[in-house]
Amino acid sequence: MAKSKNNNSKANNNKNVLLYVAALGALLLILVYVFVFQKLTTETEAINASNRTLALRVNELKVYYDNRYVYMEDTQAMEQLIDELLVAYPADVREEDAIILAVQMQRDSGAMFQNINMERGSAIHVIPTETVTAAGSEKYTQEIQFYNMYTTYANEVSYEGLKRMIQVVYNSDNRIGIQNIAYSKGDAENPNLSGHVDLVFYSVSGTGKEYVAPDIVPYLTGTDNIFGENGEQQ
């Protein structure tokens, strides 16, 4: 009887050990799943996502590579278009440009100038360096800035002279806009028109051009008096 009880006790102990081992094994499986399998799954998903991103990038680069000659032709065409747009703009406009224009207007129109007012403006438009370089142009690599300078010419001139004066503006090598023309009619004693012309000189920096000063040598000596003091010539 005592021996039978001992056998039952041993059997129970063996069962308990098996249960403990099974529980420990299950715990290890859970730990492996949580700390190893899930980690590997997360890393795998990240790698797969990265591979998908890289595959898309490779496809994009392949498109660029396959069309590289088309892009080069487009870039050259763009540079040519930019050249055509900017060729009329000088690298800078200075006071001497406004003065020499007055001399030319006086020479062709016979206008008598009372005063010339000049005011340099700020940049009216800026193309940042990042935008310029992103275009991939070898010629244009720096910031491009558009500037203006306002100039008012107050004068007396005949009607025919006024038309010739405006023609001088149109014929100028500079890029000039006519902002305003305001004249009043004279009387029987002085039939000339009296008023002013407001001009805007435009320039563009960052295109690789250099400023070219106007040739004023012919006007250094013996020039007409553009302000017409006492109606006399120098």
Side-chain angles (χ1 to χ4, degrees):
M1 188 72 177
K3 187 174 181 181
S4 176
K5 288 182 178 181
N6 288 334
N7 289 334
N8 290 334
S9 178
K10 284 184 177 182
N12 291 331
N13 289 335
N14 289 336
K15 289 180 180 179
N16 291 334
V17 170
L18 290 175
L19 289 174
Y20 292 148
V21 170
L24 181 60
L27 179 61
L28 288 175
L29 288 174
I30 294 173
L31 292 176
V32 168
Y33 175 78
V34 172
F35 293 103
V36 178
F37 181 76
Q38 281 193 339
K39 181 179 179 181
L40 290 176
T41 301
T42 302
E43 291 179 352
T44 301
E45 291 176 351
I47 292 173
N48 289 335
S50 177
N51 287 339
R52 288 192 294 270
T53 302
L54 291 174
L56 291 174
R57 182 57 178 165
V58 169
N59 290 335
E60 290 178 357
L61 294 176
K62 185 178 183 303
V63 172
Y64 294 145
Y65 179 79
D66 293 341
N67 295 278
R68 62 190 183 280
Y69 295 114
V70 175
Y71 296 148
M72 291 173 63
E73 292 176 357
D74 289 345
T75 299
Q76 292 175 354
M78 178 193 66
E79 285 188 351
Q80 183 178 355
L81 177 60
I82 294 174
D83 289 342
E84 292 174 356
L85 291 174
L86 298 181
V87 67
Y89 293 89
D92 193 11
V93 175
R94 302 177 183 176
E95 286 74 11
E96 49 263 45
D97 296 290
I99 293 174
I100 201 68
L101 182 66
V103 172
Q104 294 167 348
M105 288 192 294
Q106 190 275 339
R107 178 195 62 197
D108 288 7
S109 69
M112 294 181 293
F113 289 86
Q114 281 79 43
N115 57 71
I116 303 173
N117 295 319
M118 291 166 281
E119 179 183 357
R120 181 175 292 274
S122 57
I124 57 177
H125 184 68
V126 177
I127 303 177
T129 303
E130 296 79 8
T131 302
V132 176
T133 55
S137 171
E138 295 182 0
K139 182 175 182 179
Y140 301 101
T141 59
Q142 55 184 315
E143 183 177 81
I144 297 177
Q145 296 184 341
F146 292 77
Y147 285 94
N148 57 19
M149 183 176 74
Y150 298 97
T151 307
T152 297
Y153 299 88
N155 58 85
E156 287 188 7
V157 65
S158 66
Y159 176 69
E160 291 299 324
L162 176 60
K163 291 191 291 184
R164 290 193 296 270
M165 190 167 63
I166 299 304
Q167 190 62 49
V168 171
V169 176
Y170 282 119
N171 293 340
S172 174
D173 292 334
N174 283 314
R175 191 71 168 179
I176 306 174
I178 299 177
Q179 190 177 40
N180 186 40
I181 298 176
Y183 282 87
S184 59
K185 185 179 179 180
D187 51 29
E189 183 177 348
N190 183 8
N192 283 337
L193 303 176
S194 178
H196 57 86
V197 176
D198 301 331
L199 304 180
V200 184
F201 290 75
Y202 296 98
S203 62
V204 180
S205 65
T207 63
K209 288 184 180 180
E210 294 184 358
Y211 173 71
V212 178
D215 183 11
I216 62 174
V217 173
Y219 306 102
L220 291 178
T221 59
T223 183
D224 289 343
N225 175 17
I226 66 171
F227 290 103
E229 294 180 1
N230 298 322
E232 299 176 356
Q233 305 293 327
Q234 287 183 345

Short mmCIF file of all heavy atoms in Angstrom, two decimals, residues 93-99 118-122 147-151 153 199-203:
data_model
loop_
_atom_site.label_atom_id
_atom_site.label_comp_id
_atom_site.label_asym_id
_atom_site.label_seq_id
_atom_site.Cartn_x
_atom_site.Cartn_y
_atom_site.Cartn_z
N VAL A 93 22.45 100.25 -65.36
CA VAL A 93 22.10 101.57 -65.90
C VAL A 93 22.52 102.60 -64.87
O VAL A 93 22.19 102.48 -63.68
CB VAL A 93 20.59 101.69 -66.18
CG1 VAL A 93 20.26 103.11 -66.61
CG2 VAL A 93 20.17 100.71 -67.27
N ARG A 94 23.24 103.60 -65.31
CA ARG A 94 23.77 104.61 -64.40
C ARG A 94 23.36 106.00 -64.87
O ARG A 94 22.78 106.18 -65.94
CB ARG A 94 25.29 104.48 -64.30
CG ARG A 94 25.72 103.09 -63.82
CD ARG A 94 27.21 102.91 -63.78
NE ARG A 94 27.56 101.55 -63.39
CZ ARG A 94 28.81 101.06 -63.34
NH1 ARG A 94 29.83 101.86 -63.66
NH2 ARG A 94 29.01 99.80 -63.00
N GLU A 95 23.71 107.00 -64.03
CA GLU A 95 23.28 108.37 -64.31
C GLU A 95 23.79 108.87 -65.65
O GLU A 95 23.11 109.63 -66.35
CB GLU A 95 23.77 109.29 -63.18
CG GLU A 95 23.01 109.16 -61.88
CD GLU A 95 23.33 107.89 -61.12
OE1 GLU A 95 24.30 107.19 -61.50
OE2 GLU A 95 22.61 107.58 -60.14
N GLU A 96 25.00 108.45 -66.03
CA GLU A 96 25.55 108.92 -67.30
C GLU A 96 24.73 108.43 -68.49
O GLU A 96 24.67 109.09 -69.53
CB GLU A 96 27.00 108.49 -67.47
CG GLU A 96 27.29 107.03 -67.20
CD GLU A 96 27.80 106.78 -65.79
OE1 GLU A 96 27.20 107.35 -64.87
OE2 GLU A 96 28.78 106.02 -65.65
N ASP A 97 24.05 107.29 -68.34
CA ASP A 97 23.19 106.80 -69.42
C ASP A 97 21.98 107.72 -69.60
O ASP A 97 21.56 108.00 -70.73
CB ASP A 97 22.71 105.38 -69.11
CG ASP A 97 23.86 104.38 -69.06
OD1 ASP A 97 24.43 104.10 -70.12
OD2 ASP A 97 24.19 103.91 -67.96
N ALA A 98 21.43 108.18 -68.48
CA ALA A 98 20.28 109.09 -68.55
C ALA A 98 20.70 110.45 -69.12
O ALA A 98 19.95 111.07 -69.89
CB ALA A 98 19.67 109.26 -67.16
N ILE A 99 21.88 110.89 -68.75
CA ILE A 99 22.35 112.20 -69.24
C ILE A 99 22.66 112.15 -70.73
O ILE A 99 22.29 113.06 -71.49
CB ILE A 99 23.58 112.65 -68.44
CG1 ILE A 99 23.17 112.94 -66.98
CG2 ILE A 99 24.22 113.89 -69.07
CD1 ILE A 99 24.33 113.26 -66.07
N MET A 118 16.72 111.92 -61.50
CA MET A 118 16.98 110.48 -61.59
C MET A 118 16.84 109.84 -60.22
O MET A 118 17.26 110.40 -59.21
CB MET A 118 18.39 110.23 -62.14
CG MET A 118 18.56 110.63 -63.60
SD MET A 118 20.29 110.70 -64.11
CE MET A 118 20.77 112.29 -63.43
N GLU A 119 16.25 108.66 -60.18
CA GLU A 119 16.08 107.92 -58.93
C GLU A 119 16.25 106.43 -59.21
O GLU A 119 15.49 105.83 -59.97
CB GLU A 119 14.69 108.17 -58.33
CG GLU A 119 14.45 107.41 -57.04
CD GLU A 119 13.05 107.61 -56.50
OE1 GLU A 119 12.29 108.39 -57.11
OE2 GLU A 119 12.70 106.98 -55.49
N ARG A 120 17.27 105.86 -58.60
CA ARG A 120 17.53 104.43 -58.79
C ARG A 120 16.58 103.62 -57.92
O ARG A 120 16.49 103.83 -56.70
CB ARG A 120 18.98 104.09 -58.44
CG ARG A 120 19.34 102.61 -58.64
CD ARG A 120 20.82 102.39 -58.39
NE ARG A 120 21.62 103.02 -59.43
CZ ARG A 120 21.92 102.44 -60.58
NH1 ARG A 120 21.47 101.22 -60.84
NH2 ARG A 120 22.65 103.06 -61.47
N GLY A 121 15.88 102.69 -58.50
CA GLY A 121 14.96 101.84 -57.76
C GLY A 121 15.64 100.61 -57.21
O GLY A 121 16.84 100.38 -57.40
N SER A 122 14.88 99.79 -56.52
CA SER A 122 15.39 98.54 -55.98
C SER A 122 15.12 97.42 -56.99
O SER A 122 14.55 97.65 -58.06
CB SER A 122 14.71 98.23 -54.65
OG SER A 122 13.30 98.19 -54.81
N TYR A 147 16.57 95.31 -62.32
CA TYR A 147 16.56 96.62 -61.67
C TYR A 147 15.92 97.66 -62.57
O TYR A 147 15.80 97.46 -63.79
CB TYR A 147 17.99 97.07 -61.34
CG TYR A 147 18.61 96.35 -60.18
CD1 TYR A 147 19.40 95.23 -60.37
CD2 TYR A 147 18.43 96.80 -58.86
CE1 TYR A 147 19.98 94.57 -59.30
CE2 TYR A 147 19.00 96.15 -57.80
CZ TYR A 147 19.77 95.03 -58.02
OH TYR A 147 20.34 94.38 -56.95
N ASN A 148 15.52 98.78 -61.95
CA ASN A 148 15.01 99.90 -62.74
C ASN A 148 15.57 101.21 -62.22
O ASN A 148 16.05 101.29 -61.08
CB ASN A 148 13.48 99.94 -62.76
CG ASN A 148 12.90 100.02 -61.36
OD1 ASN A 148 13.58 100.39 -60.40
ND2 ASN A 148 11.63 99.68 -61.22
N MET A 149 15.54 102.24 -63.06
CA MET A 149 15.95 103.59 -62.66
C MET A 149 14.96 104.56 -63.30
O MET A 149 14.76 104.57 -64.51
CB MET A 149 17.37 103.91 -63.12
CG MET A 149 17.84 105.29 -62.65
SD MET A 149 19.57 105.65 -63.09
CE MET A 149 19.39 105.94 -64.85
N TYR A 150 14.31 105.37 -62.46
CA TYR A 150 13.31 106.33 -62.93
C TYR A 150 14.00 107.66 -63.28
O TYR A 150 14.85 108.14 -62.53
CB TYR A 150 12.25 106.57 -61.85
CG TYR A 150 11.47 105.33 -61.49
CD1 TYR A 150 11.82 104.56 -60.39
CD2 TYR A 150 10.37 104.92 -62.25
CE1 TYR A 150 11.10 103.42 -60.05
CE2 TYR A 150 9.66 103.79 -61.93
CZ TYR A 150 10.02 103.04 -60.83
OH TYR A 150 9.32 101.91 -60.50
N THR A 151 13.62 108.21 -64.41
CA THR A 151 14.20 109.49 -64.84
C THR A 151 13.10 110.37 -65.42
O THR A 151 12.29 109.91 -66.23
CB THR A 151 15.28 109.27 -65.92
OG1 THR A 151 16.25 108.33 -65.44
CG2 THR A 151 15.99 110.57 -66.23
N TYR A 153 12.46 114.01 -67.45
CA TYR A 153 13.07 115.06 -68.25
C TYR A 153 12.05 116.19 -68.43
O TYR A 153 11.06 116.05 -69.15
CB TYR A 153 13.46 114.52 -69.64
CG TYR A 153 14.47 113.40 -69.61
CD1 TYR A 153 14.05 112.07 -69.50
CD2 TYR A 153 15.83 113.65 -69.71
CE1 TYR A 153 14.96 111.03 -69.48
CE2 TYR A 153 16.76 112.62 -69.69
CZ TYR A 153 16.31 111.31 -69.57
OH TYR A 153 17.22 110.29 -69.56
N LEU A 199 10.66 108.39 -67.86
CA LEU A 199 11.18 107.14 -68.43
C LEU A 199 11.63 106.19 -67.32
O LEU A 199 11.98 106.61 -66.21
CB LEU A 199 12.36 107.42 -69.36
CG LEU A 199 12.11 108.40 -70.52
CD1 LEU A 199 13.38 108.56 -71.34
CD2 LEU A 199 10.96 107.93 -71.39
N VAL A 200 11.64 104.91 -67.66
CA VAL A 200 12.16 103.89 -66.74
C VAL A 200 13.24 103.11 -67.49
O VAL A 200 12.97 102.50 -68.53
CB VAL A 200 11.06 102.92 -66.27
CG1 VAL A 200 11.64 101.94 -65.25
CG2 VAL A 200 9.89 103.67 -65.67
N PHE A 201 14.46 103.15 -66.97
CA PHE A 201 15.57 102.38 -67.53
C PHE A 201 15.62 101.02 -66.82
O PHE A 201 15.61 100.97 -65.59
CB PHE A 201 16.90 103.12 -67.33
CG PHE A 201 17.07 104.35 -68.16
CD1 PHE A 201 16.40 105.53 -67.85
CD2 PHE A 201 17.92 104.35 -69.26
CE1 PHE A 201 16.57 106.67 -68.60
CE2 PHE A 201 18.09 105.49 -70.02
CZ PHE A 201 17.42 106.66 -69.69
N TYR A 202 15.73 99.96 -67.59
CA TYR A 202 15.78 98.61 -67.02
C TYR A 202 17.15 97.98 -67.25
O TYR A 202 17.79 98.21 -68.28
CB TYR A 202 14.71 97.71 -67.64
CG TYR A 202 13.29 98.16 -67.36
CD1 TYR A 202 12.57 98.90 -68.30
CD2 TYR A 202 12.68 97.85 -66.15
CE1 TYR A 202 11.27 99.31 -68.05
CE2 TYR A 202 11.37 98.27 -65.89
CZ TYR A 202 10.67 98.99 -66.84
OH TYR A 202 9.39 99.41 -66.59
N SER A 203 17.58 97.17 -66.27
CA SER A 203 18.83 96.44 -66.41
C SER A 203 18.71 95.10 -65.68
O SER A 203 17.83 94.92 -64.84
CB SER A 203 20.00 97.25 -65.83
OG SER A 203 19.81 97.47 -64.43
#
